[in-house]
Amino acid sequence: MNKQQTVTEEIFSIDSINKYASLMTLGNGYLGLRASHEEEYTDQIKGMYAAGIYNKATNNGISEIVNLPDLTAIRIEIDGELFSLLDGEILSYHRELSLLDGQIKREVVWKSRSGAKYQLIFQRFVSKDDLHLVGMKVTVTSLDKQSKLKIVTGIDAQQTNFGNQHLLEENVRVFDERIMQGTFQTSESGHQIAITASCSCTGDADTAFVAKNRQLYTTVTANLPLNEPFILEKLCTIHTSLDDETGLDLETTGVQTLQKKLAEGYDDLLSKSAQKWKEFWDRKQVKITSEHEFDQFALDFALYHIEIMTPAHDERFSVGAKGLTGPGYKGHIFWDTEIFILPHHLFTQPETARKLLRYRYLHLQQAIEKAHQNGYEGALFPWESAFTGVEETPEFAAINIRTGKRQKVASAIAEHHIVADIAFAVVHYYQATHDDEFMKKEGLALLKETSRFWISRACEEDGKLSIQDVIGPDEYTEHINNNAYTNYMAHFNVKQTLNYMKRFKDADESLLAAGEDFLNRLYLPKPGPDNIIPQDDTFLKKPEIDLSKYKMNQGSQGILLDYSRQEVNEMQILKQADVVMLLYLFPDLFSSDVVAENLQYYEEHTIHDSSLSKAIHAIVAARCGEKEEAYRFFKEACLIDLGPNPHSSDEGLHAASLGAIWLATVFGFANVSIVNDRLSIDPKLPTEWTELEFPIIWQGTRLNITITQQKMTILKLSGPDVQLDIRGTAYQVTDKIEVGL
Amino acid sequence: MNKQQTVTEEIFSIDSINKYASLMTLGNGYLGLRASHEEEYTDQIKGMYAAGIYNKATNNGISEIVNLPDLTAIRIEIDGELFSLLDGEILSYHRELSLLDGQIKREVVWKSRSGAKYQLIFQRFVSKDDLHLVGMKVTVTSLDKQSKLKIVTGIDAQQTNFGNQHLLEENVRVFDERIMQGTFQTSESGHQIAITASCSCTGDADTAFVAKNRQLYTTVTANLPLNEPFILEKLCTIHTSLDDETGLDLETTGVQTLQKKLAEGYDDLLSKSAQKWKEFWDRKQVKITSEHEFDQFALDFALYHIEIMTPAHDERFSVGAKGLTGPGYKGHIFWDTEIFILPHHLFTQPETARKLLRYRYLHLQQAIEKAHQNGYEGALFPWESAFTGVEETPEFAAINIRTGKRQKVASAIAEHHIVADIAFAVVHYYQATHDDEFMKKEGLALLKETSRFWISRACEEDGKLSIQDVIGPDEYTEHINNNAYTNYMAHFNVKQTLNYMKRFKDADESLLAAGEDFLNRLYLPKPGPDNIIPQDDTFLKKPEIDLSKYKMNQGSQGILLDYSRQEVNEMQILKQADVVMLLYLFPDLFSSDVVAENLQYYEEHTIHDSSLSKAIHAIVAARCGEKEEAYRFFKEACLIDLGPNPHSSDEGLHAASLGAIWLATVFGFANVSIVNDRLSIDPKLPTEWTELEFPIIWQGTRLNITITQQKMTILKLSGPDVQLDIRGTAYQVTDKIEVGL
């Protein structure tokens, strides 16, 4: 790593408790553990999630990523006074998540209400070396007097997802008067979970175990001599029925694994995990030399989170819209994965991108069934999906302010662009990897079924084909016809399908013919006399209102407190700009004038209430040469989770937005793109940056790219020689090239 | 009421937050509402329960009284600072529950962290006039400066029973931009619940409604001028599918009812409820003139709670072991009802006692089925029951400290005395009411089936009958033979059955013959040479240990932290004394010497870990003339909920113990008993009491009894003349009698 990067909290504020719990989430793709405090606070949203463990709390409900039993709570009483930062006085406070080694450390000097001073140090990590392991350590030192310490901690299965309980308690047990274990089953999906935990302490301590009301805990009591640290280590393992078979039952696996870990101890286990993090940073860090140190931090933060949110160990699940950082969006998987998160993996660890696409392939059948149920052919992927691959979009959203009734969510029946988004990712995956094996089987299957969907989805009007009654990425505009984003993406989807069918000698003549007809006749909205590409058939005719009030509170969806969804739908109000998104994905589709004018027009009508919006604007602005604007959008995109709003990330981080920070850097400022199947680079570095360095993998070759304001250096690290275009000129990289800019 | 009695909390202590939430529970027999604070605190156990609304969270789980959505939370932010007594500074604090009118009032002067001072007054009642109504009022006054006030409150369905979620959210809706409503269904039992709520404010205020994550709430924002109180009234109604049919759906009933209540307003609605409380106290108060004012308070407290815990409106359910004051014992109904709570109703409102017995009658079939499943005849009532009348005892209890496994609960298969306890209550009910209609139908059915059970339950040994492998009231001694309490109660059960069969000309000859045989041959443990009645066949041979350590922490079951249940079972260690219980129920069974010696012997071996223990000891001691000991036991019994232990009542009050405070007073100190079907009074007033006055209903006649150290006055208030015995001499009360003592 370039240097020690940390997410730091210098002041304890109860108001931002859930923001930091999200920001400092620990994880490894298998587990996500929110950084809730060891002591309890009202409103604290706790969360521990295992990728793929979803459940429906009710029969006709929807799947949620299951909030697992809590391990983080450690109740500390010193001389009968309960440790809480809301009681007594905080003499000093510092918490940091080290991105370098994936450890949270919190140091507090606390004066109890009775006036005694104590130092408390809390450490915690989720191992990158062993996906099942969580380690915690508490060090308590009395600074004033000998005291009596009581610590209560264990396995707390009273946790819910906002009141929904997903877990049946199967058994609780204490082994060898030392190891606690709770086993659980999800109520509907039937996953098994074993949680095993044990505490070790320095010095003499009495322990007792209690099981009651879905909690199993140990009470440790000990003397706390003056100035002598008391250390409690708590090691925990999580195993589920989705794990690879070990031949043992989960209970035995849990106990045996933990016994081994206990022999190693917190510090050694942390070292092993830290070593894995070091390897990660050595391989993947994007290094920025900027006037603003924050830029480097934002990139490191984004990469850390992309890494821990991605279940790279298992292709049966994908990345949720909040990763594993919170209960938001119920852990569901959206187009966010393919369009915002997958590209980072594709260009740094393509086998992970392959797994994410395999997730879609594994659920092709469910998508075909959904298409069929909706009267279409081919595959209609669900707008939101989870473990089983069926549609999981909730039926209702917020209360309509006019009627008092909940408003229906239309995404499942109309937000169909996700079909083409997945196809788009398949094509890019192949372009970047030339993975013939994948394309022949999974790739072509996905391309053909998605194309079949679009062909059946189109309606004929006067010989032309239109795509009617859809929702584009801009969810403030519903049920419109010929959405520019959707139509162009569908066109690309079908065109590339025919291309790869021919390349791989797929002789499905009827699909080839139908596809050609679709491509010939599909209406593609063109720029008007004023160069503006209509977002859909009616958008440009709708009235405009002054959006400045709402732009001031971007991301809050405050407009829905003043207008119903129906009312918003009838005005030129965008959550995010479909046309800008289109311009991002197809950099060479329109002239630079058209791109610039559309960027300006649509930005004026966009509230940016979607977290996907800003970074994409940054990319398109960068490519337009609007350096200042691009950098401003980039900075604002980085603030979606890292900004001052104490509540915007309460229910988890914005996974796509984190992916988009990497996109903005690599696809925007470095301006890497795929043009005519070739890698193209045309740097547009912000004035504030003196250097940008990042690794990239292209068709099996690992490159290191360094860009300054004056030159670009490309170093081949491994793999065959590579052809690429720099500012339109073709180069071959055999070892290292330097190009003046 | 004698004078204004209040449950008072003068200092806010987070440690006793759940104790006071239980002590100050509001209710009306239909609803119980724990006195949780409007602002949130960690560890605060919230609870609102509707009698009879039970549910199983899992298919093979057990029924729990359902924690309904919370109405009490009111989040108050003043100038951006969240009101919490753990933040800022408490300048003054006073909370009281007025037993006179059933209102809680809390007055706080609070200095926020930024230094501004505010007065906050919180009021709340559950109507005794309209069973469905909850009223709340908040008054906020800024004492320093003009401020901005934000209040958030609504219907919060994130509540669970310690993590078990019982309610499916069916619908949430806002009517007329004013009335919030959530409708819910219990997941297994299928009860419907409609919760309707609305807020009214003084002055100008902005309101907005939000529905999210099982919460529906309104946000009220207003200016708070200096020294001008801002008042928010929140009125709520609760309706369930167990209510009498109104011909309307629950949603409409809820909205229409609330609209009427809103027109009346908090103060008028409170007055109507207070009037009903006044009528209650006028009719039922027990008045004590004592050296210690606490005694009067303890009686008032007990009567208040017996009143609000009893679903006098509906015979389909009975009284849970925690009433409706908390989640403890899952709302289940034990023998506590018949033996500890029913007598108060029997002697003050016999129609309520009748309903409680009707509950058992309505579930006679389930008891017959349970007997059959266990290989017996007749009716084996469940040790714990809920709405359906089937056995609801949990299978497992605490962890065994030796094995680390949970210990099985044997009560369902062995604690059979409940069968005779119910029969005992039937007989007393008839004796006190001469309700022939009841006895002919429900009474005889209950007596005959319970007798059939005992006859089938007995085993033959050498021509004698024994009752083997039972648990008596003393649950620290399991699986024993010929438990004295059980055998004598079974004998009484059968004997009285034959008595009433003959009286009501029931010609079931085979039962009559089997009953006679049972009575002739059942072994009844007799006092040994040392006058001690053996609790069971082996008890007196078991080793004894020093119990003083555990007696110091009565009620904590601390012995189970040192010994496993199996180990406790093999020693002379009592949770409560079976023989003392027996002596209480049958005052004339043994000579006074035997009574006194057994009281002493068993008390020495009793930890009093059961809350049922102390008051019964008080009664037996009083009858023995042990005035000091009796009064000490009485005081200690009153402290079970009202004592200093901040956690003993966290999960609810001890309903039976509250019933027993009345028992100790009327059956102990006034020494009222039923002897040979006649009412007998033989006062044993404590030295500390100068006067005891209480109402009683005997065979339809309302009497007022006043006892001093010198004389007793009995005033007939209504009904026919009554025959009774005073200190063994027969009297007839036609108007008023005075007897010197």
Side-chain angles (χ1 to χ4, degrees), chain B residues 153-208:
Chain B
T153 189
I155 300 167
D156 174 9
Q158 290 187 12
Q159 305 306 312
T160 63
N161 291 52
F162 294 124
N164 289 329
Q165 180 55 267
H166 295 290
L167 292 171
L168 310 178
E169 189 187 64
E170 299 265 289
N171 203 5
V172 292
R173 175 81 191 270
V174 179
F175 293 88
D176 306 331
E177 300 189 30
R178 182 175 190 206
I179 293 176
M180 297 174 275
Q181 186 176 71
T183 53
F184 308 90
Q185 184 173 316
T186 56
S187 61
E188 169 267 343
S189 54
H191 299 304
Q192 305 284 332
I193 294 129
I195 304 214
T196 318
S198 189
C199 297
S200 320
C201 310
T202 51
D204 281 346
D206 286 335
T207 58

Side-chain angles (χ1 to χ4, degrees), chain A residues 40 42-43 58 75 86 158 162-165 168 172-174 211-214 399 404-406 651, chain B residues 40 42-43 58 75 86 158 162-165 168 172-174 211-214 399 404-406 651:
Chain A
E40 301 281 353
T42 294
D43 290 347
T58 62
R75 185 183 177 94
L86 291 178
Q158 289 188 12
F162 295 123
N164 289 330
Q165 180 55 267
L168 311 179
V172 293
R173 176 81 191 269
V174 179
K212 197 183 171 197
N213 294 335
R214 297 178 65 97
I399 290 268
K405 292 184 188 173
R406 284 195 152 173
E651 295 185 14
Chain B
E40 300 281 352
T42 294
D43 291 346
T58 63
R75 186 184 177 94
L86 290 180
Q158 290 187 12
F162 294 124
N164 289 329
Q165 180 55 267
L168 310 178
V172 292
R173 175 81 191 270
V174 179
K212 198 184 171 197
N213 294 335
R214 298 178 63 98
I399 291 269
K405 293 184 185 172
R406 283 194 152 176
E651 295 184 15

Side-chain angles (χ1 to χ4, degrees), chain A residues 3 85 406 420 438 541 706-707:
Chain A
K3 60 172 192 169
L85 296 174
R406 284 195 152 173
F438 175 85
K541 298 169 203 140
T706 308
I707 302 168

Side-chain angles (χ1 to χ4, degrees), chain B residues 660-710:
Chain B
I661 292 174
W662 185 90
L663 300 182
T665 307
V666 174
F667 294 169
F669 300 135
N671 198 5
V672 170
S673 63
I674 303 174
V675 179
N676 299 326
D677 283 352
R678 287 169 64 87
L679 193 68
S680 160
I681 311 182
D682 181 6
K684 303 281 186 182
L685 234 51
T687 316
E688 290 81 355
W689 290 11
T690 49
E691 191 172 290
L692 167 65
E693 182 187 346
F694 58 95
I696 210 169
I697 297 179
W698 176 253
Q699 295 176 357
T701 299
R702 280 174 50 78
L703 302 172
N704 193 69
I705 298 176
T706 308
I707 301 168
T708 67
Q709 296 289 351
Q710 294 76 34

Side-chain angles (χ1 to χ4, degrees), chain A residues 45-250:
Chain A
I45 302 172
K46 296 186 175 196
M48 180 166 77
Y49 312 97
I53 299 287
Y54 294 90
N55 186 65
K56 295 181 185 182
T58 62
N59 285 339
N60 46 9
I62 50 173
S63 298
E64 291 188 301
I65 187 92
V66 173
N67 192 5
L68 297 177
D70 179 53
L71 297 167
T72 60
I74 302 182
R75 185 183 177 94
I76 299 175
E77 278 178 46
I78 317 178
D79 286 341
E81 292 186 283
L82 181 65
F83 170 67
S84 165
L85 296 174
L86 291 178
D87 204 2
E89 197 182 334
I90 304 170
L91 301 181
S92 75
Y93 182 89
H94 177 86
R95 180 163 64 147
E96 63 178 39
L97 160 62
S98 162
L99 301 177
L100 182 62
D101 64 8
Q103 186 189 222
I104 294 174
K105 185 169 184 181
R106 180 165 61 127
E107 294 184 60
V108 182
V109 179
W110 178 67
K111 190 163 89 174
S112 76
R113 195 168 276 229
S114 73
K117 291 198 283 294
Y118 304 95
Q119 185 196 46
L120 298 102
I121 302 173
F122 300 91
Q123 292 160 274
R124 190 189 299 172
F125 72 98
V126 170
S127 177
K128 195 166 170 56
D129 178 61
D130 180 333
L131 298 180
H132 305 276
L133 177 69
V134 176
M136 299 175 70
K137 189 198 266 202
V138 182
T139 309
V140 185
T141 311
S142 177
L143 305 177
D144 273 343
K145 56 166 186 170
Q146 168 154 339
S147 300
K148 189 90 187 166
L149 181 66
K150 179 175 164 189
I151 296 182
V152 183
T153 189
I155 301 166
D156 175 8
Q158 289 188 12
Q159 306 306 311
T160 64
N161 290 55
F162 295 123
N164 289 330
Q165 180 55 267
H166 294 290
L167 292 172
L168 311 179
E169 190 187 64
E170 299 265 288
N171 202 4
V172 293
R173 176 81 191 269
V174 179
F175 293 86
D176 306 331
E177 300 189 31
R178 182 174 191 204
I179 293 176
M180 297 174 277
Q181 186 176 70
T183 54
F184 308 92
Q185 184 174 315
T186 57
S187 62
E188 170 268 341
S189 53
H191 300 304
Q192 306 284 333
I193 294 128
I195 304 211
T196 318
S198 188
C199 297
S200 322
C201 309
T202 50
D204 281 345
D206 285 335
T207 58
F209 295 95
V210 172
K212 197 183 171 197
N213 294 335
R214 297 178 65 97
Q215 295 177 323
L216 171 60
Y217 53 86
T218 181
T219 301
V220 177
T221 47
N223 285 314
L224 188 62
L226 178 64
N227 288 327
E228 251 183 55
F230 177 90
I231 301 172
L232 179 138
E233 289 181 14
K234 181 178 181 182
L235 297 177
C236 317
T237 60
I238 292 90
H239 292 87
T240 84
S241 48
L242 291 176
D243 298 346
D244 289 337
E245 295 293 331
T246 60
L248 296 172
D249 58 78
L250 286 183

Side-chain angles (χ1 to χ4, degrees), chain A residues 474-653:
Chain A
D474 166 34
E475 292 173 329
Y476 283 173
T477 313
E478 294 185 347
H479 301 301
I480 38 79
N481 300 337
N482 291 316
N483 171 255
Y485 179 84
T486 306
N487 283 27
Y488 277 99
M489 286 293 282
H491 192 272
F492 176 85
N493 190 160
V494 175
K495 188 172 173 190
Q496 292 295 333
T497 301
L498 302 190
N499 171 25
Y500 287 103
M501 284 176 72
K502 288 170 194 158
R503 190 182 302 191
F504 287 96
K505 314 256 183 289
D506 186 305
D508 186 338
E509 292 301 334
S510 100
L511 180 58
L512 286 167
E516 290 294 350
D517 178 62
F518 176 86
L519 294 176
N520 287 332
R521 295 203 292 151
L522 180 68
Y523 167 68
L524 292 173
K526 292 290 187 305
D530 54 357
N531 269 351
I532 302 305
I533 303 159
Q535 174 169 307
D536 57 60
D537 283 354
T538 54
F539 184 83
L540 294 176
K541 298 169 203 140
K542 291 176 178 173
E544 303 167 78
I545 61 165
D546 178 10
L547 294 178
S548 47
K549 169 183 166 193
Y550 306 107
K551 286 192 154 208
M552 296 278 286
N553 286 300
Q554 286 166 2
S556 71
Q557 306 202 3
I559 194 154
L560 296 177
L561 298 177
D562 291 341
Y563 298 96
S564 72
R565 265 187 182 274
Q566 284 84 334
E567 290 163 342
V568 170
N569 200 42
E570 296 311 315
M571 297 185 281
Q572 288 195 42
I573 300 174
L574 302 180
K575 191 176 173 193
Q576 64 186 103
D578 289 3
V579 170
V580 177
M581 192 72 214
L582 175 68
L583 300 173
Y584 155 59
L585 290 181
F586 300 102
D588 49 356
L589 199 59
F590 298 103
S591 72
S592 54
D593 283 1
V594 169
V595 173
E597 285 174 55
N598 278 276
L599 176 65
Q600 192 192 333
Y601 182 84
Y602 281 105
E603 202 286 323
E604 280 170 10
H605 295 82
T606 299
I607 301 180
H608 300 291
D609 271 346
S610 165
S611 64
L612 314 180
S613 194
K614 280 286 174 69
I616 301 305
H617 278 74
I619 297 171
V620 178
R623 289 182 190 153
C624 289
E626 299 285 351
K627 289 199 172 190
E628 268 184 49
E629 195 183 2
Y631 188 61
R632 180 171 58 77
F633 279 130
F634 170 78
K635 300 283 274 188
E636 290 177 13
C638 292
L639 293 177
I640 285 170
D641 287 307
L642 289 171
N645 181 334
H647 294 295
S648 57
S649 307
D650 281 0
E651 295 185 14
L653 300 182

